[in-house]
């Protein structure tokens, strides 16, 4: 049985890598249900990461643009393939690219999980960047509120 599992892991490295990322995101409660197209997009990103690594000889990672530690969602819209040293230099910070994705992360939580989770996420980001009012991050009308 273990030999079969080992053979499967060797034959499907992109699935194994995505399972690890998903498990980490789940531990941080940063997941939403994904469509089959979104799941496929994530596997394409993993294949791209592996191809870049092979082509350049440098290690690459799949980065959560809005970090999981602040509620950034494990979803293709919040992922990018980066050279490992570039990813390490970000050091779990809220960048301008992350701020540009806050509204989309909020929308996904709101639509797929619910208002409470979306507001929790919004408040995490607001606290991290020192905003007194979190509503300016997402715009009240954006979610029909």
């Amino acid at each position: 049985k273990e030999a079969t599992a080992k053979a499967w892991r060797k034959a499907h490295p992109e699935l194994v890598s995505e399972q690890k990322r998903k498990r980490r995101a789940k531990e941080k409660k940063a997941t939403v249900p994904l469509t089959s197209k979104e799941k496929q997009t994530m596997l394409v990103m993993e294949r791209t990461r592996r191809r870049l690594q092979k082509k350049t000889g440098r290690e690459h990672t799949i980065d959560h643009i809005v970090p999981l530690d602040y509620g950034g969602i494990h979803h293709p819209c919040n992922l990018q393939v980066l050279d490992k040293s570039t990813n390490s230099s970000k050091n779990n910070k809220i960048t301008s690219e992350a701020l540009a994705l806050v509204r989309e992360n909020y929308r996904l939580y709101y639509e797929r999980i619910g208002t409470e989770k979306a507001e929790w996420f919004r408040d995490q980001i607001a606290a991290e960047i020192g905003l007194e009012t979190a509503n300016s991050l997402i715009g009240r009308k954006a979610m029909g509120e």
Side-chain angles (χ1 to χ4, degrees):
K1 195 171 187 175
E2 179 57 36
T4 304
K6 189 174 182 178
W8 184 88
R9 286 191 301 272
K10 186 173 181 171
H12 302 92
E14 69 279 357
L15 293 172
V16 172
S17 294
E18 178 51 27
Q19 285 174 343
K20 289 177 183 178
R21 273 190 292 282
K22 187 176 179 180
R23 182 173 40 250
R24 181 171 169 254
K26 206 171 193 176
E27 288 169 1
K28 301 223 178 232
K29 296 179 175 59
T31 61
V32 295
L34 299 175
T35 66
S36 54
K37 185 176 181 181
E38 291 165 343
K39 289 175 187 176
Q40 281 303 114
T41 300
M42 295 184 52
L43 293 178
V44 167
M45 290 182 86
E46 176 58 26
R47 289 183 193 117
T48 301
R49 181 193 74 79
R50 288 175 179 276
R51 234 183 343 268
L52 277 169
Q53 218 161 255
K54 199 177 256 188
K55 182 179 179 182
T56 65
R58 293 191 322 262
E59 196 169 345
H60 285 72
T61 60
I62 293 183
D63 169 59
H64 289 89
I65 301 165
V66 179
L68 293 177
D69 286 346
Y70 304 112
I73 209 162
H74 186 66
H75 184 276
C77 75
N78 191 40
L79 298 174
Q80 63 184 343
V81 178
L82 288 180
D83 178 274
K84 186 175 182 178
S85 63
T86 303
N87 189 19
S88 296
S89 70
K90 277 184 49 184
N91 196 24
N92 211 26
K93 293 180 182 141
I94 303 292
T95 62
S96 58
E97 292 87 3
L99 286 175
L101 286 174
V102 166
R103 185 172 290 183
E104 182 64 10
N105 279 243
Y106 178 91
R107 183 189 66 78
L108 286 163
Y109 276 134
Y110 184 89
E111 291 176 359
R112 298 184 186 182
I113 303 291
T115 307
E116 189 176 317
K117 181 66 176 187
E119 290 177 353
W120 170 86
F121 164 72
R122 178 201 61 201
D123 294 345
Q124 293 296 305
I125 299 295
E128 177 58 22
I129 64 173
L131 278 183
E132 285 186 32
T133 174
N135 288 336
S136 62
L137 283 172
I138 51 102
R140 299 298 286 176
K141 294 186 182 198
M143 297 300 119
E145 297 174 9

